[in-house]
Amino acid sequence: MPGPGVGAYWRGTWDYSNVWLEEGLCKGDTDLANILALVTGLTITMAIDMFHTDLARIAGTPGHLRHTIVRHVFSLTWGSADIIMWKGLWDGYDIWAGRAELQSLATLSIGLVTLTLSRSLRSAQSMPVKILTKIKWLKCVCYLIRSV
């Protein structure tokens, strides 16, 4: 069930950002809304990356109430900022480059070449059902989950 929940969270955050950012704050200016979304999301995720060790120290010991609250606030903040960043990038790309077969093929090709050259293509693939993925030092270790 996590898959549909994650999809719904992404979709809801992405679509709601159209309401409060594009229609509300930017008064229908899609270019400005996408630039703001990209810059805001990038700034927040960068700040969290830079100060995540401080957040871990502030959170305290796992199992305590403060740690639970900080962990959930961290997840919601990071997740929302990441979604807003990608919304700004992809919606902006769709608006500025247009939507057609050429743009889709160019995006797919750039992604595949980048992932292949960085030797990350295999880790970007989705795992089949009933496979538990465990990453140890950039190696993907898979375990088959057996049902009884």
Side-chain angles (χ1 to χ4, degrees):
M1 287 308 283
V6 170
Y9 179 71
W10 266 82
R11 176 70 189 228
T13 303
W14 190 298
D15 285 348
Y16 189 65
S17 70
N18 289 331
V19 172
W20 67 265
L21 184 60
E22 194 172 319
E23 296 170 12
L25 184 65
C26 296
K27 308 283 191 246
D29 187 348
T30 340
D31 292 332
L32 179 61
N34 287 321
I35 290 169
L36 277 176
L38 179 62
V39 169
T40 302
L42 197 56
T43 302
I44 292 171
T45 54
M46 245 176 24
I48 290 174
D49 270 349
M50 288 173 29
F51 301 110
H52 73 275
T53 53
D54 295 327
L55 290 173
R57 185 179 37 78
I58 291 168
T61 310
H64 288 90
L65 179 61
R66 182 171 60 174
H67 184 272
T68 302
I69 292 170
V70 170
R71 179 173 48 110
H72 288 296
V73 169
F74 168 85
S75 296
L76 285 171
T77 304
W78 172 267
S80 299
D82 191 46
I83 294 166
I84 296 298
M85 178 188 70
W86 287 111
K87 180 252 185 278
L89 179 69
W90 292 120
D91 276 357
Y93 177 80
D94 285 345
I95 289 168
W96 301 317
R99 294 179 113 177
E101 292 172 8
L102 180 61
Q103 287 84 346
S104 298
L105 183 60
T107 304
L108 177 64
S109 299
I110 290 169
L112 285 174
V113 167
T114 303
L115 288 170
T116 301
L117 292 177
S118 66
R119 300 181 70 178
S120 303
L121 185 60
R122 185 167 183 85
S123 64
Q125 296 172 347
S126 296
M127 291 293 131
V129 177
K130 293 191 178 184
I131 297 287
L132 174 67
T133 307
K134 187 174 183 180
I135 298 175
K136 287 185 176 180
W137 282 95
L138 302 177
K139 293 180 182 176
C140 186
V141 180
C142 299
Y143 302 98
L144 179 62
I145 301 173
R146 298 186 190 272
S147 57
V148 283

